Amino acid sequence: MSAVRVRFAPSPTGYLHVGGARTALFNWLLARKCGGTFILRIEDTDVERSTRESVDAILQGMEWLGLDWDEGPFYQSDNFPLYKEHVRKLLDAGKAYKCYCTAEELDARRELAMKEGRKPKYDGTCRERGDAPEGAPYVVRFRAPQGGEVAFDDLIKGRIAFPAEELDDLIIQRTDGTPTYNFCVVIDDAVMRITTVIRGDDHVNNTPRQIQLYQALGYPVPQFAHVPMILGSDKARLSKRHGATSVIAYRDMGYLPEALMNYLVRLGWSHGDDEIFSREEMIEKFDIGNVGRSASVFNPEKLNWLNAHYIKTGDPERLADLLLPHLSSRGVSTLNGPRLVDVVTTLQERAQTLEEMADRALFYYSAPTSYDEAALAKFDKDHLTAVYTIVAGKLSTAGEASAAGYDQIFKDICTENGWKMPQVGQPVRIALSGGTQAPGIGEIVQALGRDESIRRILAAAAFLSGE
Ligand code: GLU
């Protein structure tokens, strides 16, 4: 195992959304590429907003995508003693101090600073304070080094520098004794020996404060890679307004995990003009340095295109398993009727999602109860009756055949009766499926079975004659 250690550190305040999943993916790819370690850490210090349901939803999303972690999940809420110990360490070293300023005092000073056109930051009142008001509530502040700048070489964004004077004396422990977010992140990343922090660029402003904390504690500073945001088509940050953002919602809408993974990896990262990446190829070709600096726009059409690709090229047995819940949710049982894998084979070429495939599969499991009247009306009634009679007869005398074998039978029927293929194909398709949006007729007959096909054709004939 190489020394590379990365982590995905979601806050369990909602489901796993596509932005989080992409961050997880980039971390996972780096770990897998280097033979490193991918750690899952649940940042649940915000007890008000963190929920067990959200943790479960995040784990479920990652498992569905196949983003397997090597260590964890670790929970920050289990680490309070560790954070306390580090607060103590900083206090003892004089690198942190107790601040007794009240909220009112801070507000008043902030207002004054604003009025005088100064940047509102903590003014350091308690930095050198000698007295300790007995029993008064306090927060613990980090004594941020003054002067100079804090800089780092971001693996994606390049060098980023902040003047130290812009960095407040960060509160690391609240009056109730609980540690604050930026502090916990540093302690965990340090103790977990994280080498590379890959996260959303909404955290860029936290990084200089965190670097100061690493240095004050004598821990090595990891490398940072801040991944640009994902935007909706209107260039606003991707949100529910733009449609589904939860990974599991994509599963339920009939997307394949490999399609979403492939989509996400290309969202901000590129390798030449390549679009299709298997898991192995992603791992082989991924380079965090090739992630673009600008935000990416979420493009549902491209996701659909990739999904269609993976459905088309997918293993029918596996697709059948994945399709099953989409059929169950439609009240369809596949116990009576053609083998689902045969059905899938007839639909792979045409479906963009498993939801669409499920809709198109319905007719296989229940004979049409009505027919597309407009489509039937394109044909003369006598012609339809003749087609149904002749096809039913021919199929009855023919043996079981392959899809191609049945297609040949239909071709022969055309030749023998002087018909063109659509003159037979459309009426038969309508009889078998109720409509015209269906696979090739040879394929349908093969999947449906010869006997059921004959039954349906005779039923259509009966419908025409008003029986
Ligand atoms: N918990 C943070 C979030 O969900 C991630 C923090 C980090 O990666 O450093 O945005």
Side-chain angles (χ1 to χ4, degrees):
M1 279 236 162
S2 87
V4 166
R5 291 173 65 82
V6 291
R7 82 320 189 256
F8 175 51
S11 304
T13 54
Y15 44 71
L16 178 65
H17 53 85
V18 289
R22 187 189 53 163
T23 302
L25 171 61
F26 286 179
N27 275 288
W28 179 85
L29 285 170
L30 184 65
R32 293 293 168 267
K33 185 176 180 81
C34 308
T37 305
F38 176 51
I39 298 164
L40 178 60
R41 180 172 79 223
I42 306 293
E43 303 209 314
D44 59 347
T45 44
D46 184 346
V47 273
E48 297 281 300
R49 296 179 60 220
S50 302
T51 65
R52 184 67 228 176
E53 292 74 54
S54 170
V55 173
D56 291 341
I58 291 167
L59 300 185
Q60 191 188 23
M62 293 187 62
E63 277 162 14
W64 180 64
L65 286 173
L67 294 170
D68 54 330
W69 53 92
D70 307 305
E71 292 180 15
F74 298 113
Y75 295 83
Q76 282 190 324
S77 55
D78 290 336
N79 281 351
F80 282 111
L82 182 76
Y83 307 135
K84 271 255 167 302
E85 182 192 315
H86 281 81
V87 170
R88 168 89 0 238
K89 209 168 137 185
L90 287 176
L91 278 171
D92 289 349
K95 292 178 176 175
Y97 60 91
K98 294 178 180 173
C99 169
Y100 297 90
C101 296
T102 63
E104 294 73 34
E105 287 168 343
L106 292 172
D107 282 348
R109 282 182 233 153
R110 191 175 301 122
E111 259 173 46
L112 186 66
M114 304 261 263
K115 225 187 248 162
E116 293 174 356
R118 286 180 287 122
K119 250 200 171 161
K121 62 178 260 193
Y122 182 64
D123 66 353
T125 301
C126 292
R127 257 188 167 235
E128 311 302 338
R129 185 171 185 147
D131 65 323
E134 195 66 39
Y138 63 86
V139 299
V140 177
R141 284 186 188 271
F142 174 56
R143 194 187 298 277
Q146 310 275 291
E149 59 173 25
V150 182
F152 60 100
D153 288 311
D154 191 278
L155 295 174
I156 295 172
K157 292 176 181 283
R159 187 182 144 86
I160 301 180
F162 292 81
E165 68 176 59
E166 275 185 18
L167 306 171
D168 250 358
D169 280 359
L170 186 77
I171 296 175
I172 57 175
Q173 181 178 295
R174 302 184 189 90
T175 37
D176 65 2
T178 57
T180 57
Y181 167 73
N182 268 302
F183 187 65
C184 299
V185 171
V186 169
I187 306 308
D188 283 329
D189 284 340
V191 170
M192 292 175 180
R193 292 174 285 112
I194 300 301
T195 55
T196 316
V197 172
I198 305 175
R199 60 184 172 201
D201 68 1
D202 47 336
H203 289 282
V204 165
N205 289 336
N206 290 329
T207 306
R209 299 165 196 285
Q210 295 182 358
I211 289 175
Q212 288 183 326
L213 284 168
Y214 282 103
Q215 289 167 340
L217 288 161
Y219 286 124
V221 179
Q223 287 192 299
F224 293 94
H226 288 96
V227 182
M229 293 286 103
I230 302 178
L231 309 177
S233 52
D234 57 356
K235 304 287 158 70
R237 189 178 170 171
L238 190 69
S239 72
K240 281 191 201 132
R241 260 185 327 110
H242 300 101
T245 56
S246 140
V247 162
I248 289 301
Y250 280 94
R251 179 197 67 187
D252 295 345
M253 291 188 296
Y255 291 85
L256 302 181
E258 60 269 38
L260 191 55
M261 285 274 272
N262 194 148
Y263 182 70
L264 291 176
V265 81
R266 282 283 294 105
L267 211 47
W269 174 76
S270 57
H271 183 270
D273 292 331
D274 298 353
E275 289 294 354
I276 306 288
F277 295 89
S278 67
R279 284 168 90 80
E280 293 69 30
E281 285 164 342
M282 283 182 206
I283 293 170
E284 187 198 319
K285 293 175 176 155
F286 184 72
D287 179 350
I288 191 78
N290 284 347
V291 174
R293 291 185 182 196
S294 45
S296 325
V297 175
F298 195 83
N299 176 350
E301 284 85 47
K302 186 162 168 202
L303 175 58
N304 284 343
W305 176 78
L306 281 166
N307 207 50
H309 165 80
Y310 284 103
I311 286 179
K312 209 176 284 180
T313 55
D315 167 39
E317 297 275 358
R318 173 170 170 260
L319 291 173
D321 286 345
L322 296 176
L323 183 63
L324 214 45
H326 297 272
L327 288 170
S328 306
S329 70
R330 286 166 171 72
V332 174
S333 160
T334 54
L335 292 179
N336 299 312
R339 287 188 339 134
L340 189 52
V341 62
D342 293 336
V343 169
V344 164
T345 311
T346 70
L347 299 170
Q348 271 177 283
E349 281 292 327
R350 295 163 186 85
Q352 281 199 326
T353 65
L354 294 175
E355 278 287 276
E356 204 180 307
M357 191 184 261
D359 282 337
R360 288 170 182 247
L362 291 179
F363 79 84
Y364 281 107
Y365 296 99
S366 56
T369 50
S370 64
Y371 300 99
D372 181 340
E373 302 269 353
L376 278 180
K378 293 203 176 116
F379 301 95
D380 185 283
K381 197 172 157 193
D382 291 340
H383 169 73
L384 290 170
T385 307
V387 167
Y388 290 150
T389 313
I390 289 171
V391 169
K394 257 287 204 257
L395 286 177
S396 305
T397 51
E400 296 281 344
S402 63
Y406 288 122
D407 277 334
Q408 188 56 51
I409 292 174
F410 288 114
K411 272 186 208 142
D412 293 345
I413 292 173
C414 287
T415 317
E416 287 158 19
N417 296 279
W419 290 327
K420 296 218 169 60
M421 200 51 178
Q423 289 177 287
V424 176
Q426 283 299 65
V428 169
R429 201 175 271 114
I430 296 166
L432 297 177
S433 74
T436 53
Q437 287 285 9
I441 45 176
E443 287 178 280
I444 310 178
V445 173
Q446 198 274 326
L448 208 50
R450 195 182 55 136
D451 292 347
E452 176 63 14
S453 301
I454 294 169
R455 258 195 298 280
R456 291 189 184 188
I457 289 166
L458 292 177
F463 167 81
L464 281 179
S465 60
E467 280 169 25

